[in-house]
């Protein structure tokens, strides 16, 4: 048993494969919706959703996901990570079916929130199990594979969605999850060992409610401000209320015995810099994927499948560079690897300033490749820095913190950059549609999707509207790209200032012998 304990679980690589598949189906759903947004906005083929409703359909998943990661991490430590993983997959499968058959935008938003509850249970459980079945020397390599799966899921989502939309209705992008979840449930039941923290914390109900309410109000204020302007009391009042609740959340977390978010962890510069780099890079990336979905399908006229395929260079870069990032960190240190990664992300995002309605396809592919290569060299070293800051039995907490900030960063990226996109677009098109009838003018200024629908309704009289809408949208896309570049640069500054120059190798903190021994005996039986 001592030798097994020292080398990790005997079936650890097979277990990693099962966990990666479970993770992929959850992460894929953060971007699979992107290529379906155009269809869901269509009153005939979809639900007739407005841009704000589309932003909420995306963010209801990520916000609930982020708000419950801490809680599920603690529940996994208390009840057992395998049990929580199984429950999360089951909820995720049920919610996927509900999303597929939603009849209104409101129903879709609600079903996506339920998906977030299930996904929040899956994500920390996978990383916590990895940290328990791999010994420290192999853990960085395993986490690199895990982090590569995160990036791959983000990138593959649009391709999978495009393939499905070529042959089926928009709900198929959610229904495809169900058979994968069923396979995952069977594999987890048969292969994955259970583990738990012998001294688990308590569920911080107040913290969970405050975090979800605060983030929800903050995002609602941002989206509402982009749609109607930030001068309205509802917009700035909601923003102020969300910020106030988040301040109360931090104050509460500093005082409770078992906090959802241990704010004391952020006193460690290495931990804080790693978490911030993940949050900032996903802010930039998710916001970019959101506006590129409209650019590719409307301005360029590509089908959902072609639009999805144009993001494959991002996935290829993830597959090539993520598995090698651990070796790069050992050779050059996390500071250099993360900084170069963020530099590549910044370069890729900055390239969107060159994109217009006639940009060559090869340039779009290059920009996605640069983003993918950059993110592949940010996620693994940053995640390993987070996990190595905590003992093994607190793996669920470390996983929850890193992934919560990643989800919050992505949600805020969609909300903030989506609001910038909406505000600049409306400002650019407003004076050019004054001669349209009131109903048509309102639809055209609401979003670029509305402008295309209006042009189709007007027939020959609406031909000029397409060019006007495209020009306004490209200008808005450039403004949103500027915001993403600023966030990526901020991440680089944080990494250069506070991430360690060399990897910090800490002695392994042994899990209680009885617990780990029981797991190995169960696996060998």
């Amino acid at each position: 048993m001592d030798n097994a304990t020292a080398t990790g679980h005997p079936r650890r690589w097979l277990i990693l494969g099962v966990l990666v598949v479970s993770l992929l189906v959850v992460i894929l759903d953060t971007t699979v919706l992107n290529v379906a947004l155009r269809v869901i906005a269509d009153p005939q083929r979809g639900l007739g959703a407005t841009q704000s409703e589309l932003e909420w359909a995306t963010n209801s998943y990520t916000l609930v996901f982020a708000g419950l990661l801490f809680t599920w991490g603690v529940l996994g430590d208390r009840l057992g990570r395998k049990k929580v993983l199984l429950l999360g997959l089951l909820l995720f499968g049920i919610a996927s079916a509900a999303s597929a058959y939603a009849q209104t935008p409101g129903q879709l938003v609600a079903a996506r929130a339920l998906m977030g509850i299930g996904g929040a249970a899956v994500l920390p459980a996978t990383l916590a199990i990895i940290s328990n079945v791999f010994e420290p020397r192999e853990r960085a390599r395993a986490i690199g594979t895990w982090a590569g799966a995160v990036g791959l899921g983000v990138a593959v989502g649009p391709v999978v969605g495009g393939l499905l939309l070529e042959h089926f209705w928009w709900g198929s992008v959610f229904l495809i999850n169900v058979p994968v979840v069923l396979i995952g449930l069977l594999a987890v039941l048969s292969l994955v060992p259970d583990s738990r923290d012998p001294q688990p914390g308590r569920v911080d109900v107040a913290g969970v409610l405050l975090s979800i309410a605060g983030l929800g109000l903050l995002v609602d204020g941002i989206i509402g401000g982009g749609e109607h302007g930030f001068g309205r009391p509802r917009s700035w009042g909601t923003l102020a209320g969300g910020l106030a609740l988040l301040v109360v959340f931090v104050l509460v977390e500093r005082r409770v015995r078992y906090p959802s978010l241990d704010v004391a962890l952020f006193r460690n510069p290495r931990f804080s810099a790693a978490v911030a780099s993940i949050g900032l890079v996903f802010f930039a990336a998710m916001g970019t994927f959101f506006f590129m979905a409209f650019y590719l399908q409307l301005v360029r006229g590509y089908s959902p499948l072609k639009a999805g395929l144009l993001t494959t260079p991002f996935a290829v870069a993830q597959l090539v560079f993520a598995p090698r990032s651990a070796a790069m960190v050992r050779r050059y240190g996390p500071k250099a690897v993360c900084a170069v990664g963020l530099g590549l992300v910044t370069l890729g995002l900055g390239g969107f300033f060159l994109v217009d309605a006639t940009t060559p396809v090869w340039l779009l592919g290059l920009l996605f490749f640069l983003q993918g290569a950059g993110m592949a060299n940010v996620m693994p070293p940053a995640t390993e820095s987070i996990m190595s800051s905590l003992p093994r039995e607190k793996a669920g907490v470390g996983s929850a913190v890193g992934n919560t900030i990643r989800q919050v960063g992505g949600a805020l990226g969609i909300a903030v950059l989506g609001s910038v996109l909406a505000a600049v677009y409306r400002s650019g098109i407003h004076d050019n549609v004054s001669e349209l009838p009131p109903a048509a003018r309102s639809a055209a200024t609401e979003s670029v999707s509305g402008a295309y629908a209006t042009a189709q309704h007007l027939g020959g009289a609406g031909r000029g509207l397409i060019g006007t809408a495209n020009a306004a949208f490209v200008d808005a896309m450039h403004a949103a790209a500027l915001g993403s570049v600023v966030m990526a640069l901020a991440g680089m500054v944080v990494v250069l200032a506070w991430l360690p120059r060399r990897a910090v190798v800490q002695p392994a903190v042994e899990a209680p012998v009885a617990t780990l021994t029981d797991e190995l005996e169960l696996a060998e039986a």
Side-chain angles (χ1 to χ4, degrees):
M1 273 319 140
D2 289 340
N3 183 57
T5 302
T7 58
H9 195 284
R11 292 190 291 182
R12 57 194 178 277
W13 293 107
L14 186 57
I15 291 169
L16 177 63
V18 172
L19 297 176
V20 164
V21 171
S22 300
L23 176 69
L24 267 175
V25 71
V26 171
I27 297 300
L28 182 144
D29 221 77
T30 60
T31 57
V32 72
L33 181 62
N34 283 347
V35 293
L37 292 174
R38 169 75 181 92
V39 180
I40 295 172
D42 191 314
Q44 280 76 43
R45 298 172 58 201
L47 302 176
T50 65
Q51 179 163 317
S52 62
E53 287 171 335
L54 293 175
E55 289 181 48
W56 267 117
T58 304
N59 278 339
S60 62
Y61 176 78
T62 52
L63 285 178
V64 173
F65 197 126
L68 292 177
L69 275 171
F70 295 119
T71 299
W72 281 120
V74 172
L75 288 174
D77 291 342
R78 175 184 289 272
L79 303 176
R81 283 84 182 239
K82 178 177 180 177
K83 296 182 184 68
V84 166
L85 177 57
L86 289 168
L87 177 60
L89 284 171
L90 181 61
L91 286 174
F92 190 85
I94 293 171
S96 295
S99 297
Y101 293 105
Q103 300 298 306
T104 66
Q107 289 179 11
L108 178 60
V109 169
R112 290 276 293 169
L114 182 60
M115 289 179 72
I117 296 175
V122 171
L123 199 63
T126 58
L127 190 51
I129 291 169
I130 288 171
S131 295
N132 275 275
V133 299
F134 284 90
E135 52 86 29
R137 287 175 299 174
E138 290 183 323
R139 193 187 305 156
R141 183 180 169 195
I143 288 176
T145 303
W146 178 93
V150 173
L152 183 62
V154 169
V156 169
V159 180
V160 173
L163 280 169
L164 291 169
L165 290 170
E166 285 283 303
H167 304 287
F168 307 102
W169 96 114
W170 64 267
S172 62
V173 302
F174 302 115
L175 200 60
I176 190 65
N177 294 337
V178 176
V180 180
V181 164
L182 290 174
I183 294 170
L185 286 169
L186 293 174
V188 170
L189 278 169
S190 60
L191 290 172
V192 176
D194 207 355
S195 64
R196 68 185 71 195
D197 184 350
Q199 297 178 320
R202 297 174 182 172
V203 176
D204 175 22
V205 177
V208 170
L209 295 177
L210 283 169
S211 63
I212 293 177
L215 287 170
L217 286 174
L218 183 66
V219 168
D220 184 57
I222 293 170
I223 293 175
E227 186 175 8
H228 302 293
F230 288 95
R232 299 167 68 243
R234 185 183 182 280
S235 295
W236 60 257
T238 306
L239 276 172
L243 290 172
L245 285 179
L246 291 176
V247 169
V248 173
F249 167 73
V250 172
L251 295 175
V252 168
E253 298 305 280
R254 292 178 60 185
R255 288 167 172 77
V256 297
R257 185 175 180 183
Y258 297 101
S260 292
L261 174 61
D262 186 357
V263 293
L265 294 174
F266 290 91
R267 296 173 185 167
N268 181 338
R270 178 165 60 102
F271 179 90
S272 298
V275 168
S277 65
I278 290 175
L280 290 169
V281 78
F282 267 85
F283 181 107
M286 294 302 291
T288 301
F289 270 99
F290 183 82
F291 68 69
M292 283 302 292
F294 292 97
Y295 167 79
L296 292 173
Q297 292 187 53
L298 290 174
V299 177
R300 301 304 298 267
Y302 296 131
S303 68
L305 177 58
K306 289 181 179 178
L309 287 173
L310 278 173
T311 67
T312 53
F314 184 100
V316 170
Q318 291 283 324
L319 286 172
V320 171
F321 293 105
R324 293 166 173 77
S325 62
M328 298 293 288
V329 171
R330 285 194 298 271
R331 183 171 182 180
Y332 299 107
K335 182 193 289 285
V337 174
C338 267
V340 170
L342 282 161
L344 289 173
V345 171
T346 304
L347 186 62
L349 294 172
F352 285 112
F353 291 119
L354 304 175
V355 172
D356 57 25
T358 60
T359 298
V361 170
W362 67 263
L363 179 57
L364 297 173
L366 176 61
L367 296 179
F368 279 121
F369 185 85
L370 287 173
Q371 275 189 270
M375 288 186 69
N377 286 290
V378 173
M379 284 292 293
T383 303
E384 171 61 16
S385 293
I386 292 169
M387 299 304 290
S388 64
S389 302
L390 301 172
R392 290 173 84 180
E393 64 269 20
K394 296 296 183 183
V397 175
S399 170
V401 171
N403 287 294
T404 295
I405 298 302
R406 180 175 63 79
Q407 290 292 333
V408 170
L412 290 177
I414 292 170
V416 172
L417 298 182
S419 293
V420 170
L421 187 80
V424 176
Y425 169 80
R426 290 191 182 98
S427 175
I429 200 173
H430 184 270
D431 293 337
N432 295 309
V433 294
S434 57
E435 296 180 359
L436 292 177
R441 184 168 63 249
S442 176
T445 56
E446 194 277 328
S447 68
V448 67
S449 296
Y452 270 73
T454 300
Q456 185 176 12
H457 178 73
L458 293 174
R463 290 175 185 170
L465 179 59
I466 296 295
T468 300
N470 284 348
F473 185 82
V474 168
D475 288 343
M477 190 175 72
H478 291 163
L482 176 61
S484 65
V485 166
V486 169
M487 300 308 289
L489 285 174
M492 190 187 303
V493 170
V494 168
V495 163
L496 290 173
W498 289 292
L499 212 63
R501 191 175 300 276
R502 305 303 306 173
V504 179
V505 180
Q506 296 180 346
V509 179
E510 292 293 338
V513 175
T515 303
L516 188 52
T517 301
D518 289 344
E519 291 178 28
L520 293 170
E521 287 177 346
L522 181 63
E524 293 167 351

